[in-house]
Amino acid sequence: MSNSADLDIWMERRSGPRTEKSNDHRNVYQRDRARIIHSAAFRRLQSKTQILAIRQNDYSRTRLTHSLEVAQIGGGIVYHLQSSQPENASFQKWLASESLIETICLSHDIGHPPFGHGGEVALNFMMIDHGGFEGNGQSLRILGKRGSYSEEFGMDVSRRTMLGVIKYPALHEDVVGKYPNKPTNLRLFRAKDWHPPKCIFAEEAPLLDWILAPFNESDRSHLLNVSRQENNRHGRTQHASFDTSIMDLADDIAYGVHDLEDAIVLGMVTRDMWQAHVAQALAAIDTPFLNEHLTRIEQQLFSKQSHLRKKAIGDLVSWFITSCEVTEANEFDHPLLRYQAALPAPQRHALDLLKDFEMTHIIQRPEVQMLVYKGQQMLLEMFEALAADPARLLPKELAKEWRAIEAVGGNGHRIICDYMASMSDDYASRMYKTLFVPSSGSVFEPI
């Protein structure tokens, strides 16, 4: 087995060796976790939409609570893989520590913009001619460039933390497909035409090279390989790291199960809907857990007693966590790419059923999509205004940075996009009123 090299190289930061403090015994991943938790970008997730719009109620999950749940589930997957397999299993040396996987999971949505994936599509539309926008790419950009712990290196977290956050290791230019002609009026914007490719921005190409440097040429080639799509659609990467596979599973479980709980509590999903669209499909999956517990789980999910609903949610999450296994992608040499966390086919199918149900019967509901549309329109109009006169309308320090980048022929639109993506739902709403509602805004009113 090649590339079984030292673990230490994955603990490196771009800024170089750390000046040790004699009384600080934390390892690098524990310090990475602290940097994420104490960052402004992480705190802003408390006011960013997960599925249901912020302020529609005070119960449903936000990007922040979702990220905390993903971290908890990710830690559970690591503990299960560690405990359920022999200590000398070949993957154990490369299995993430609790602090590392929590850091990756807490970071995974840190670049997502206001108003959920609707906001992501709006920003991508405005950046079509300037390198595009995609939430996962923005997460890496914050970790490696735009975070507040280093002037040059962003959050300056470790190489392995950044590798774990990269779900789609391909540059925008290598995956972007063909878009229709842009409408001349923002009111004619149709979201389905402007979804971004899953990618990393061109500005982060040197960062990606640094992260992947420990892999040999063959591994890098396989990892960066893109499957092209028909009809000029976006291409897609096919592989990610061992740590990323754990984070991605945790993200899917949190979305498929915990976000379902919100919809049930708020009355958006009824027992009749469950029986019509989910129950029979799950019953057709032949597993001991579903055969024995599906009827009871349905009763508890739609019980008026919260402790029974929590019992059902907890049992589903536990079933998925304890079903996780390690597979091998034999085309890779390095253990961090060869090993992958995965669900067996029946559990994967069950989780996909839950996710598809939520997409169809929650996210795509007209009343939800009207809120998404409203958020998109606000971002489109604000971006248009800021891009028309950045030196005048951007915050002072960002305006200075924009001028410096434009002066050397750089991509000043990326700075505007960074600012827009960093906004919380509340901040974006206040900014919109300040810009476009004559009776709102004052030099004495902070946005």
Side-chain angles (χ1 to χ4, degrees), residues 127-349:
M127 289 291 290
I128 286 295
D129 300 321
H130 306 280
F133 176 83
E134 196 269 332
N136 297 283
Q138 188 70 12
S139 294
L140 180 65
R141 181 168 168 81
I142 290 171
L143 292 178
K145 185 176 292 185
R146 301 299 297 179
S148 54
Y149 281 86
S150 166
E151 184 176 1
E152 186 177 356
F153 303 119
M155 294 279 198
D156 195 27
V157 294
S158 63
R159 190 194 309 265
R160 186 164 173 181
T161 290
M162 286 194 281
L163 176 68
V165 171
I166 300 175
K167 291 176 68 172
Y168 310 107
L171 295 176
H172 179 268
E173 64 191 44
D174 295 328
V175 289
V176 65
K178 186 175 182 180
Y179 291 105
N181 294 327
K182 292 184 74 171
T184 55
N185 188 325
L186 294 179
R187 297 295 186 192
L188 300 178
F189 166 83
R190 294 198 308 172
K192 71 181 184 67
D193 294 332
W194 304 100
H195 283 273
K198 302 298 186 181
C199 65
I200 292 168
F201 309 139
E203 290 86 348
E204 277 63 70
L207 175 60
L208 180 63
D209 288 342
W210 180 82
I211 294 168
L212 302 185
F215 297 132
N216 65 29
E217 185 176 347
S218 174
D219 277 356
R220 286 196 298 272
S221 176
H222 284 307
L223 182 63
L224 298 172
N225 184 50
V226 171
S227 63
R228 303 305 308 184
Q229 303 295 311
E230 297 178 354
N231 302 321
N232 293 317
R233 291 184 297 174
H234 301 315
R236 190 75 176 254
T237 57
Q238 300 169 287
H239 304 287
S241 76
F242 188 18
D243 300 335
T244 312
S245 69
I246 297 172
M247 175 269 285
D248 208 21
L249 272 179
D251 191 21
D252 281 353
I253 294 168
Y255 168 62
V257 181
H258 285 303
D259 291 345
L260 174 66
E261 180 186 13
D262 280 0
I264 291 173
V265 171
L266 297 173
M268 298 179 71
V269 170
T270 65
R271 192 166 187 174
D272 287 344
M273 292 170 63
W274 174 271
Q275 290 175 340
H277 302 288
V278 181
Q280 285 188 327
L282 287 177
I285 301 174
D286 186 17
T287 70
F289 175 81
L290 292 177
N291 292 341
E292 182 177 351
H293 298 292
L294 184 57
T295 300
R296 187 260 302 170
I297 283 176
E298 178 184 320
Q299 292 170 345
Q300 291 179 331
L301 281 176
F302 297 96
S303 169
K304 299 299 183 183
Q305 297 180 303
S306 61
H307 72 279
L308 294 178
R309 187 175 59 251
K310 284 294 184 185
K311 166 68 174 168
I313 293 293
D315 286 350
L316 282 170
V317 171
S318 178
W319 179 51
F320 288 125
I321 288 175
T322 57
S323 299
C324 290
E325 57 190 16
V326 175
T327 62
E328 293 192 47
N330 291 319
E331 63 267 42
F332 290 104
D333 292 326
H334 199 287
L336 280 179
L337 300 178
R338 191 174 67 255
Y339 296 122
Q340 298 284 296
L343 284 170
Q347 286 85 341
R348 183 71 256 180
H349 182 42

